[in-house]
Amino acid sequence: MTPFKSHRGIIATLDRENVDTDQIIPKQFLKSIKRTGYGESLFFDWRYLPDGKHDPQFELNAPKFKGTTILVTRNNFGCGSSREHAVWALVQYGFKTIIAPRKEAIPAFADIFRNNSGKNGLLTIELKPEEVDEIFQMVARQPKAEMTINLEEQRVTLHLPEEISFHFEIDKVVKEHLVKGLDEIGLSLQKEAAIGRYETQSNAQAFWK
Amino acid sequence: MPKTLFDKIWESHVVHTESSGSTLLYIDRHLIHEVTSPQAFEGLRLTHRKVRRPDLTFATMDHNVPTEDRFNIKDPISRAQIEALEQNCRDFGIKLYDLKSTQQGIVHVIGPELGLTLPGTTIVCGDSHTSTHGAFGALAFGIGTSEVEHVLATQCLVQKRPKTFQVEFTGQLPKGVRSKDLILKLIGQIGTAGATGHVLEYTGPAIRALSMEARMTVCNMSIEAGAKAGLIAPDDTTVQYLTGREFVPKAKQFDQSALYWKSLVSDPGASYDRTLTINASELAPQVTWGTNPGMVMDVTGVIPAPDKVPGISVRDAERAMEYMGLKPGTKIEDIAIDTVFIGSCTNSRIEDLRAAAQIFKDKKVNTKVRTLIVPGSQQVKRQAESEGLDKIFRAAGADWRESGCSMCLAMNPDQLQPEERCASTSNRNFEGRQGKGGRTHLVSPEMAAAAAIAGHFVDIRKWL
């Protein structure tokens, strides 16, 4: 996995809550046995008209968002199906980071989606609702607004004529994996002896193993 | 300290815990299917890694499978995905229940049927509805393809301990109200992210009274509330269901296992991070009206004004109503449907089919309605046919099909056309889920059957 330390890019906004993985990548694109080629199909049903042209009504098709690498959206992004194809599509479209707000007790991202993102170098950042609102307002006022994400310092900075920064929290294990670009399977395989010991012990206890 | 059922299963599967709290958790059963596994096997090949425990890994094909003429998969991309699974299972020595198998079916239907799903175990699958298996008191959850590869290589997963959330259902379900209504009501109440980061444990007399099939429906849809998993403590109903199944221990070992299984309950006084109580006696049949399972109401309800939908923004409510072609003020019972789908990992088991057959008996499907009834597995299909249920469905004018995921997610020929409106026993009413532009209303099997006959939603309680 490519290490993620910091990134500067153009912000795009998608003002919808509960964006499910069926919308991020519809089912017909899950038939591929490859890991590549999903970027063109991202948000397929929203992005394209029946004749295959871009739907001008869809937010991400706006010219001001061309070349975007940072998606700012609403609560519960990535809910629904466990399909990792959703993350592959976002990454292959060019996104490096997704930002969404916590909503009272509800985390910004669905669990499986957030897990899948971390394994593919896609950084998910949870901010406070008022901070996300502020980003939405700034981007509406200033087309091609840019942002720098500094993962090591856990800070996002909006580059307007002035600079506005927000701190974010992140699980330290996820952060370490992203910053160092670690291979999780390789790390777990270093614990093979412990896995073997567990198997020997539990085999003695359970009949069905 | 008193422990919850979740604590007990979690703690008995910890291989190693880092100082950060990150835990290497052992996985007892890994179920795989054709859609989310090919890239994981490719990853193993590229890194020259092996499958650590092919004996704990079980595969079937379900998402792409046609429910008519199943050996003739016309879509070459679907066929390639099925063939890739066959090849991967051959190369890595994994047991595959393929289309020729008399035990093939939806992965979450065959796991329990075969006795692969056992209390106190950890079960994962690259599919969000893996939560189904929690009905047996197994910690079961969906994972992505990178995690599928991780489990194949290590038989473990790196996990952070989730929180716990107890939902107690007091009272008893009234006549005509099913476990599907119970779980839809909960999702409507807490929202589609209401349990994110938590493992739900369902308790209370209304849960104890449910059959294993009905419990599976409840746990299946835990993910629709955002939960990592759903759990129901094992009891006599669980032990009875498991008796005699292929992968369940036999004879004396069964008796000893059963004692252990029945010890898997939350201790009195065990504390949960959150709790909620719902009185099951007050529930009515549920119908979803929007584009996620939390947009749901009683069958007696009326589509609200977009600014009167609790917990949902006006814009999202308006967008959902526009997609669904519904106007505020419309009664649920006045909504006409043109398609009915009875099937999916939520409601395709024998009990679901028996319940639907009771409604279809001596009645006719409305001439404007296309009705698909799709058993969850070949075993369910044979059982239904031995009871004559297929004859009841056919006599009513419904289509009786072969086992598979079918119209739940439209990766196979069973799909909705744009603006077709379906009463469906599946689990997701997301935009385009059953076919681009298709409109899905989630309901119980009885409610779906009644809608097929009437041509619109009806309050099934009036028919009983």
Side-chain angles (χ1 to χ4, degrees):
Chain A
M1 199 165 76
T2 322
F4 188 124
K5 289 187 170 67
S6 73
H7 170 74
R8 178 170 173 153
I10 298 169
I11 309 162
T13 50
L14 182 64
D15 192 4
R16 307 187 190 205
E17 279 195 346
N18 303 314
V19 173
D20 59 77
T21 52
D22 273 81
Q23 306 319 313
I24 299 173
I25 184 125
K27 70 277 167 193
Q28 65 268 34
F29 304 108
L30 311 187
K31 295 179 183 180
S32 167
I33 57 171
K34 301 199 181 92
R35 211 180 259 269
T36 51
Y38 297 99
E40 283 299 301
S41 315
L42 178 71
F43 295 120
F44 187 86
D45 287 352
W46 288 347
R47 193 164 148 202
Y48 300 103
L49 294 166
D51 65 3
K53 294 206 179 80
H54 280 173
D55 183 344
Q57 300 291 318
F58 180 54
E59 293 92 316
L60 287 191
N61 287 335
K64 64 179 175 178
F65 293 150
K66 200 169 162 46
T68 178
T69 54
I70 299 165
L71 182 66
V72 181
T73 182
R74 298 294 186 185
N75 184 254
N76 197 27
F77 188 83
C79 61
S81 156
S82 62
R83 58 188 73 168
E84 197 158 318
H85 311 68
V87 174
W88 299 334
L90 287 161
V91 169
Q92 289 162 21
Y93 180 88
F95 286 117
K96 306 265 188 231
T97 300
I98 316 287
I99 297 176
R102 198 174 178 82
K103 188 179 173 186
E104 293 161 19
I106 298 171
F109 299 95
D111 281 340
I112 306 175
F113 175 80
R114 203 198 50 222
N115 274 340
N116 289 343
S117 297
K119 319 270 185 223
N120 289 276
L122 180 68
L123 173 62
T124 51
I125 297 178
E126 180 177 273
L127 291 178
K128 296 189 184 108
E130 57 273 22
E131 293 167 345
V132 172
D133 285 344
E134 201 171 335
I135 299 173
F136 267 92
Q137 287 161 17
M138 296 295 177
V139 173
R141 255 183 273 150
Q142 188 182 318
K144 296 270 177 192
E146 292 193 11
M147 178 188 271
T148 296
I149 290 140
N150 187 323
L151 176 55
E152 286 180 303
E153 295 175 11
Q154 296 178 215
R155 192 178 63 235
V156 301
T157 305
L158 273 159
H159 302 288
L160 305 159
E162 71 279 24
E163 292 200 334
I164 302 171
S165 289
F166 303 117
H167 171 80
F168 63 89
E169 293 297 328
I170 183 167
D171 182 277
K172 58 185 174 190
V173 177
V174 175
K175 177 179 171 178
E176 191 194 356
H177 281 215
L178 283 168
V179 170
K180 294 183 179 164
L182 296 177
D183 165 23
E184 195 180 65
I185 298 177
L187 290 176
S188 294
L189 282 172
Q190 289 174 12
K191 308 234 168 56
E192 238 174 340
I195 299 170
R197 274 197 303 278
Y198 176 88
E199 284 175 331
T200 312
Q201 277 168 13
S202 71
N203 278 356
Q205 286 158 12
F207 298 119
W208 45 267
K209 282 185 176 171
Chain B
M1 208 173 85
K3 288 178 178 171
T4 64
L5 168 58
F6 166 76
D7 295 331
K8 293 179 186 182
I9 305 174
W10 177 272
E11 286 163 15
S12 65
H13 287 84
V14 173
V15 171
H16 179 81
T17 305
E18 302 280 348
S19 56
S20 62
S22 171
T23 295
L24 196 61
L25 197 72
Y26 198 79
I27 303 302
D28 295 319
R29 294 277 189 259
H30 187 192
L31 308 177
I32 59 177
H33 63 79
E34 77 275 19
V35 180
T36 55
S37 63
Q39 297 86 352
F41 285 108
E42 180 197 46
L44 290 184
R45 286 194 181 94
L46 289 172
T47 48
H48 307 288
R49 286 169 179 153
K50 294 182 304 188
V51 175
R52 182 179 176 87
R53 294 295 300 267
D55 59 321
L56 301 182
T57 313
F58 299 85
T60 192
M61 36 191 66
D62 50 11
H63 287 62
N64 279 278
V65 174
T67 59
E68 285 180 305
D69 199 8
R70 64 208 309 250
F71 294 107
N72 181 13
I73 302 176
K74 293 194 183 79
D75 178 348
I77 311 172
S78 283
R79 200 168 57 231
Q81 199 166 52
I82 297 269
E83 287 166 0
L85 182 66
E86 290 169 340
Q87 187 66 47
N88 288 329
C89 289
R90 267 198 303 274
D91 290 355
F92 289 91
I94 292 165
K95 169 82 181 158
L96 169 67
Y97 296 92
D98 66 7
L99 287 178
K100 292 190 286 283
S101 165
T102 56
Q103 293 167 315
Q104 177 272 345
I106 305 174
V107 63
H108 308 308
V109 175
I110 72 167
E113 252 176 17
L114 292 166
L116 289 169
T117 305
L118 293 174
T121 58
T122 49
I123 303 174
V124 296
C125 174
D127 192 288
S128 60
H129 292 109
T130 307
S131 58
T132 310
H133 309 266
F136 293 79
L139 179 62
F141 52 92
I143 56 177
T145 299
S146 294
E147 290 182 315
V148 169
E149 187 179 336
H150 194 286
V151 179
L152 288 172
T154 67
Q155 203 56 32
C156 294
L157 269 179
V158 179
Q159 292 284 299
K160 203 180 156 191
R161 192 176 183 130
K163 293 178 179 161
T164 53
F165 188 167
Q166 181 195 27
V167 181
E168 184 188 19
F169 286 95
T170 57
Q172 59 178 30
L173 286 176
K175 208 169 182 197
V177 183
R178 291 253 299 169
S179 66
K180 182 66 165 282
D181 302 305
L182 184 147
I183 186 65
L184 281 171
K185 181 72 186 182
L186 172 66
I187 299 163
Q189 199 162 323
I190 67 174
T192 54
T196 301
H198 294 73
V199 169
L200 285 163
E201 184 183 343
Y202 305 100
T203 63
I207 295 292
R208 287 291 133 220
L210 297 176
S211 66
M212 288 317 296
E213 284 89 346
R215 291 179 190 183
M216 284 190 250
T217 304
V218 173
C219 288
N220 172 274
M221 290 191 74
S222 303
I223 181 68
E224 310 312 333
K228 178 163 188 83
L231 279 175
I232 294 175
D235 58 10
D236 288 332
T237 307
T238 320
V239 172
Q240 201 175 359
Y241 178 96
L242 291 169
T243 310
R245 292 184 187 268
E246 188 177 341
F247 288 91
V248 175
K250 302 287 179 321
K252 203 172 154 196
Q253 293 190 337
F254 180 83
D255 297 337
Q256 281 175 269
S257 300
L259 280 178
Y260 167 63
W261 295 336
K262 281 163 69 176
S263 76
L264 292 167
V265 291
S266 290
D267 297 328
S271 75
Y272 297 85
D273 294 292
R274 286 170 70 192
T275 57
L276 175 71
T277 301
I278 294 176
N279 184 354
S281 305
E282 291 171 359
L283 299 187
Q286 302 291 301
V287 182
T288 64
W289 58 267
T291 51
N292 73 48
M295 295 171 167
V296 64
M297 62 172 67
D298 292 357
V299 63
T300 50
V302 173
I303 303 296
D307 61 347
K308 295 281 187 296
V309 185
I312 292 162
S313 74
V314 180
R315 281 185 55 158
D316 286 343
E318 281 173 349
R319 193 178 278 132
M321 284 176 199
E322 191 193 331
Y323 180 86
M324 292 298 291
L326 293 173
K327 292 207 163 48
T330 307
K331 282 187 191 161
I332 294 285
E333 288 191 81
D334 289 343
I335 299 172
I337 50 113
D338 44 53
T339 310
V340 166
F341 170 57
I342 297 177
S344 86
C345 59
T346 311
N347 281 125
S348 65
R349 297 180 180 83
I350 188 65
E351 190 181 280
D352 301 311
L353 301 182
R354 285 181 192 139
Q358 260 190 342
I359 307 295
F360 280 119
K361 198 167 172 32
D362 302 326
K363 295 213 174 67
K364 289 279 177 207
V365 167
N366 189 287
T367 51
K368 294 187 183 121
V369 178
R370 165 170 71 125
T371 301
L372 250 66
I373 303 178
V374 186
S377 70
Q378 289 294 302
Q379 285 204 58
V380 170
K381 181 167 186 273
R382 282 194 301 278
Q383 177 68 28
E385 289 174 353
S386 76
E387 295 177 21
L389 305 186
D390 59 320
K391 292 193 182 69
I392 296 175
F393 298 139
R394 286 201 172 106
D399 264 14
W400 173 244
R401 297 288 183 88
E402 296 283 348
S403 54
C405 295
S406 184
M407 205 190 266
C408 176
L409 89 168
M411 277 189 76
N412 51 70
D414 302 340
Q415 307 201 4
L416 290 182
Q417 296 304 307
E419 301 195 3
E420 276 188 339
R421 189 181 294 282
C422 181
S424 177
T425 66
S426 54
N427 40 57
R428 289 192 174 130
N429 50 341
F430 295 153
E431 288 182 28
R433 172 80 180 180
Q434 296 191 289
K436 188 170 179 170
R439 294 161 173 171
T440 304
H441 296 270
L442 303 176
V443 289
S444 72
E446 287 96 327
M447 285 286 289
I453 294 158
H456 57 83
F457 291 108
V458 289
D459 185 345
I460 189 67
R461 292 172 300 183
K462 295 178 192 165
W463 285 23
L464 298 173

Coordinates of all heavy atoms in Angstrom, one line a residue, chain B residues 56 137 142 181 192 228-229 242 281 305 373 382 416 429 432:
Chain B
L56 N -11.6 -25.1 7.0 CA -12.6 -24.2 7.7 C -13.2 -23.2 6.7 O -13.9 -22.3 7.1 CB -11.9 -23.4 8.9 CG -11.3 -24.3 10.0 CD1 -10.7 -23.4 11.1 CD2 -12.3 -25.2 10.6
G137 N -26.2 -17.4 18.0 CA -25.3 -17.1 19.1 C -23.9 -17.2 18.6 O -23.0 -17.6 19.3
G142 N -19.9 -9.3 8.2 CA -19.4 -9.1 6.8 C -18.1 -8.4 6.8 O -17.8 -7.6 7.6
D181 N -41.2 -7.7 10.5 CA -41.8 -6.4 11.0 C -41.0 -5.9 12.2 O -40.8 -4.7 12.4 CB -43.3 -6.6 11.3 CG -44.0 -7.1 10.1 OD1 -43.9 -6.5 9.0 OD2 -44.7 -8.2 10.2
T192 N -30.6 3.9 9.9 CA -29.7 3.0 9.3 C -28.3 3.0 9.8 O -27.5 2.2 9.4 CB -29.7 3.2 7.7 OG1 -29.4 4.6 7.5 CG2 -31.1 2.9 7.1
K228 N -22.4 -4.0 13.6 CA -21.4 -4.9 13.1 C -21.9 -6.3 13.0 O -21.6 -7.1 12.1 CB -20.2 -4.9 14.1 CG -19.1 -5.9 13.7 CD -17.8 -5.6 14.4 CE -16.7 -6.4 13.9 NZ -16.1 -5.9 12.7
A229 N -22.8 -6.7 14.0 CA -23.3 -8.0 14.0 C -24.6 -8.0 14.9 O -24.9 -7.0 15.6 CB -22.3 -9.0 14.7
L242 N -30.3 -27.6 15.4 CA -28.9 -28.1 15.0 C -28.9 -29.7 15.0 O -28.0 -30.2 14.3 CB -27.9 -27.6 16.0 CG -27.6 -26.1 15.9 CD1 -26.7 -25.7 17.1 CD2 -26.9 -25.8 14.6
S281 N -45.8 -6.4 21.4 CA -47.3 -6.6 21.4 C -47.9 -5.4 20.7 O -49.0 -5.5 20.2 CB -47.8 -6.6 22.8 OG -47.2 -7.7 23.5
A305 N -45.4 14.5 4.8 CA -44.8 15.6 4.1 C -43.3 15.5 4.3 O -42.9 15.0 5.4 CB -45.3 16.9 4.7
I373 N -41.2 -16.5 -6.8 CA -40.9 -17.1 -5.5 C -39.7 -18.0 -5.6 O -39.6 -18.9 -6.4 CB -42.1 -18.0 -5.0 CG1 -43.3 -17.0 -4.9 CG2 -41.8 -18.6 -3.6 CD1 -44.6 -17.7 -4.5
R382 N -36.4 -28.6 -2.3 CA -36.9 -30.0 -2.2 C -38.0 -30.1 -1.0 O -39.0 -30.7 -1.2 CB -35.8 -30.9 -1.9 CG -35.0 -31.2 -3.2 CD -34.1 -32.5 -3.0 NE -33.1 -32.3 -1.9 CZ -32.0 -31.6 -2.0 NH1 -31.6 -31.1 -3.2 NH2 -31.2 -31.5 -1.0
L416 N -35.9 -5.6 -11.8 CA -37.0 -4.7 -12.1 C -36.6 -3.8 -13.2 O -35.5 -3.5 -13.4 CB -37.2 -3.8 -10.9 CG -37.8 -4.4 -9.6 CD1 -38.0 -3.4 -8.5 CD2 -39.1 -5.2 -9.9
N429 N -33.9 -1.5 0.1 CA -34.7 -0.7 -0.8 C -33.9 0.4 -1.4 O -34.5 1.5 -1.8 CB -36.0 -0.3 -0.1 CG -35.7 0.4 1.2 OD1 -34.6 0.3 1.8 ND2 -36.6 1.2 1.7
G432 N -32.1 1.6 -7.2 CA -31.5 0.7 -8.2 C -31.2 -0.7 -7.7 O -30.6 -1.5 -8.5

